[in-house]
Amino acid sequence: MRLRYGGSAGTWGFALYLAGTDKYEDTILPTGSFAGTPEEALDRACGLCLTAPGIRARIHPR
């Protein structure tokens, strides 16, 4: 995850690293915007990672 300063403490751009393309891609936050608070960005990154298919199986094998 990468945060980019947007001019104030509450406005940050957000991008996720995609290993398949070896690039960062701007990502839309749950609010529908490309900029928001660091907390919104972290919530989005964790939500995407923890709900991705197969992630839970690798973290908590049965």
Side-chain angles (χ1 to χ4, degrees):
M1 177 177 107
R2 178 185 71 191
L3 292 174
R4 181 178 48 242
Y5 183 67
S8 73
T11 306
W12 295 79
F14 169 59
L16 287 175
Y17 177 75
L18 303 176
T21 61
D22 195 32
K23 295 180 183 178
Y24 282 93
E25 296 288 335
D26 289 338
T27 305
I28 297 174
L29 295 168
T31 60
S33 176
F34 283 101
T37 66
E39 291 85 358
E40 290 170 330
L42 184 58
D43 286 347
R44 180 65 167 174
C46 290
L48 291 172
C49 178
L50 296 176
T51 59
I55 293 291
R56 288 191 183 134
R58 289 193 301 262
I59 294 172
H60 301 290
R62 294 179 186 193

